[in-house]
Amino acid sequence: MQNTENYGQIVLGATPIGNLSDASPRLREIMASADLVAAEDTRNFHHLAQALGIRPTGRVMSLHEHNEQHKIAEVLDAVRSGSTVLVVSDAGMPAVSDPGFPLVAAALDEGLLVTAVPGPSAVLTALALSGLPTGRFTFEGFLPRKAGERRKRLNALAGEERTMVFFESPHRLAAFLASVAEAFGGDRQVAVARELTKKFEEVRRGPVGELLEWAEAGVRGEIAVVIAGTSAPEPAEAGDHVDQVEELVAAGTRMKEAVAEVAQRFGLKKRELYEAVLALRQNSESQGRTP
């Protein structure tokens, strides 16, 4: 087991998603003091630092989706040498639909320290403002651009009961919502959040069919879409399926086998279904004996 006592660390820094005042004191401190800053876009990082009145003392390098695999070794070497490496994306938390995950995975595989300076998150902000259930949710990020692949992914989510959060570009929003209406139905409740924490922040809520009409006129800004999950199906009642059992029995199937087949088909408990069949038969016999 390697001795990591003198190693440095990787710090994932959450940067503002719009309002610069959301930059935390801890983020400001580490932006200034980190030995190495791995930024999704170095120009954006320098603009952020300048706007916050910070003068970074460490080296700044690029780390984006096109070069991350080639930069991992360099970053890990810096950590092994004792450096604190700050990883930042253009907005929000790195590694969440942004560069950073492959680096984090590689660092953890080597037992290196990875920590975070938490802060702004477009996912959680959109979810909280959506007015949709927040107790359980799933983040789906950006869906495929091609209509067929996007439709396939949404069809796979048609039975999802949790609230779903997506990212989408403004010029593809209308096509995205059209695919949602096709897969989930035009009445599915949706919230479209744009320009979160910025001057022109807007959250539109309503059935996807209505929001589609709005989006078709053109939308600008950073977009997060929150979609309500489907309602949980009503649990099957054994008494609702007695007729299916009796039909199988009338066709020559033994009672026990008929109950087992119907119970498996509808997700019922065999004993409850068996008792429901007997109860209905007894009730029918009692009515037949009534003078």
Side-chain angles (χ1 to χ4, degrees):
M1 188 176 192
Q2 60 183 338
N3 181 7
T4 61
E5 184 176 341
N6 297 319
Y7 285 0
Q9 62 180 336
I10 292 174
V11 181
L12 304 177
T15 55
I17 60 176
N19 194 316
L20 294 180
S21 298
D22 292 335
S24 70
R26 283 186 63 204
L27 177 66
R28 294 167 184 260
E29 290 173 7
I30 198 165
M31 283 177 63
S33 65
D35 302 299
L36 174 63
V37 177
E40 181 177 7
D41 187 315
T42 57
R43 293 166 302 180
N44 288 343
F45 173 76
H46 285 300
H47 289 158
L48 175 62
Q50 184 177 14
L52 295 176
I54 295 170
R55 182 173 295 177
T57 57
R59 181 168 66 91
V60 180
M61 62 175 281
S62 66
L63 184 80
H64 49 73
E65 61 177 329
H66 301 297
N67 73 357
E68 184 168 5
Q69 290 296 339
H70 302 293
K71 296 283 189 174
I72 286 176
E74 181 180 350
V75 174
L76 296 188
D77 283 343
V79 176
R80 294 190 203 96
S81 69
S83 295
T84 290
V85 180
L86 172 64
V87 179
V88 292
S89 62
D90 289 341
M93 177 62 74
V96 179
S97 200
D98 274 328
F101 171 71
L103 173 62
V104 170
L108 295 179
D109 282 344
E110 291 199 21
L112 300 176
L113 177 61
V114 179
T115 186
V117 174
S121 166
V123 177
L124 295 181
T125 303
L127 177 67
L129 294 178
S130 69
L132 298 173
T134 59
R136 297 173 66 241
F137 72 95
T138 175
F139 174 57
E140 298 294 331
F142 287 94
L143 289 187
R145 295 185 180 186
K146 294 183 178 179
E149 295 177 4
R150 183 171 62 242
R151 188 181 305 112
K152 181 178 180 181
R153 182 64 187 136
L154 287 172
N155 287 338
L157 292 169
E160 177 60 68
E161 297 177 13
R162 295 170 294 181
T163 300
M164 296 165 277
V165 184
F166 300 83
F167 286 161
E168 191 51 274
S169 64
H171 66 275
R172 290 199 301 268
L173 179 61
F176 171 81
L177 293 177
S179 295
V180 171
E182 179 183 350
F184 299 164
D187 293 332
R188 183 69 68 93
Q189 291 296 307
V190 170
V192 176
R194 56 179 293 272
E195 295 294 88
L196 289 171
T197 77
K198 299 177 183 178
K199 180 178 180 180
F200 296 105
E201 174 180 290
E202 179 183 22
V203 182
R204 292 262 181 163
R205 308 172 183 87
V208 64
E210 291 183 9
L211 267 61
L212 174 57
E213 294 181 10
W214 162 72
E216 287 175 337
V219 179
R220 294 181 179 180
E222 299 290 330
I223 303 289
V225 182
V226 187
I227 303 176
T230 187
S231 300
E234 293 293 330
E237 295 288 342
D240 296 337
H241 299 282
V242 170
D243 289 345
Q244 284 95 330
V245 175
E246 295 290 20
E247 289 175 4
L248 291 174
V249 172
T253 304
R254 295 176 55 192
M255 171 78 157
K256 184 177 181 181
E257 295 172 353
V259 167
E261 179 179 335
V262 174
Q264 182 178 15
R265 190 190 313 166
F266 295 99
L268 303 168
K269 293 182 179 180
K270 289 188 289 186
R271 182 172 180 177
E272 291 182 1
L273 180 57
Y274 188 85
E275 291 176 349
V277 173
L278 292 181
L280 187 60
R281 287 184 175 183
Q282 291 173 358
N283 183 51
S284 298
E285 291 175 0
S286 299
Q287 291 180 354
R289 290 195 297 267
T290 301

